[in-house]
Amino acid sequence: MGGVVPEQLWQGRARNCMDPFLQAAMDEAKAGLASGGIPIGSVLVLDGKIIGRGHNQRVQKGSVIHHGEMNCLENAGRQKAAVYRRCTIYTTLSPCPMCSGAILLYAIPRVVVGENVTFTGAEDHLRANGVKVEVVQDPECVQMMRDFIASNPQLWNEDIGV
């Protein structure tokens, strides 16, 4: 991407295709699904470059914490606080309270959400704490989660703590 902010890619043009960073998160979600997991992906972007990427790996790792955003942050490695404060995190699904807590802890100022039709996480809590939350309602994100939830209701309920 070479430092191009996604909004700049679309200036003056109709948005016919997915934001490239949301597409990278979607690619992560598909990788998670292909490896037997829950299709939620995330990327962490700093100055127009992806510095971390991940997907939900609760099933694959037998983990209680490896949601997409948490896995992404883990894979970004240890960063200085000033780095997180300049990042945007992209996620295919609205972040749950645990992932939202990590976003707040590291003061990530902006979250781009692929969809919140199938699950609305702690978006209001993020907003109340000054985080800019943008929900895209991408049809591909919505359909992927609808299909997964219909096929795997027990696993989905486990993932969201129901």
Side-chain angles (χ1 to χ4, degrees), residues 79-102:
Q79 303 291 331
K80 294 184 184 282
V83 170
Y84 293 114
R85 290 186 188 115
R86 293 177 23 228
C87 286
T88 297
I89 192 163
Y90 289 75
T91 179
T92 58
L93 185 65
S94 182
C96 74
M98 176 179 65
C99 296
S100 295

Side-chain angles (χ1 to χ4, degrees), residues 99-133:
C99 296
S100 295
I103 290 164
L104 291 174
L105 177 66
Y106 294 111
I108 297 170
R110 181 171 172 244
V111 180
V112 177
V113 176
E115 67 103 348
N116 68 359
V117 172
T118 61
F119 175 80
T120 301
E123 293 172 20
D124 288 341
H125 184 62
L126 289 168
R127 287 185 186 103
N129 284 278
V131 176
K132 183 177 182 182
V133 178

Side-chain angles (χ1 to χ4, degrees), residues 22-108:
L22 186 56
Q23 181 62 59
M26 186 62 143
D27 293 345
E28 285 293 325
K30 290 175 182 177
L33 183 62
S35 63
I38 299 165
I40 303 167
S42 183
V43 296
L44 186 65
V45 176
L46 173 69
D47 299 333
K49 294 181 182 142
I50 295 172
I51 64 167
R53 59 178 65 232
H55 52 269
N56 186 304
Q57 292 197 36
R58 289 188 70 249
V59 173
Q60 299 92 320
K61 292 187 176 210
S63 168
V64 298
I65 62 164
H66 274 276
H67 280 195
E69 300 90 338
M70 300 295 281
N71 186 250
C72 170
L73 291 169
E74 173 79 8
N75 291 336
R78 194 169 140 200
Q79 303 291 331
K80 294 184 184 282
V83 170
Y84 293 114
R85 290 186 188 115
R86 293 177 23 228
C87 286
T88 297
I89 192 163
Y90 289 75
T91 179
T92 58
L93 185 65
S94 182
C96 74
M98 176 179 65
C99 296
S100 295
I103 290 164
L104 291 174
L105 177 66
Y106 294 111
I108 297 170

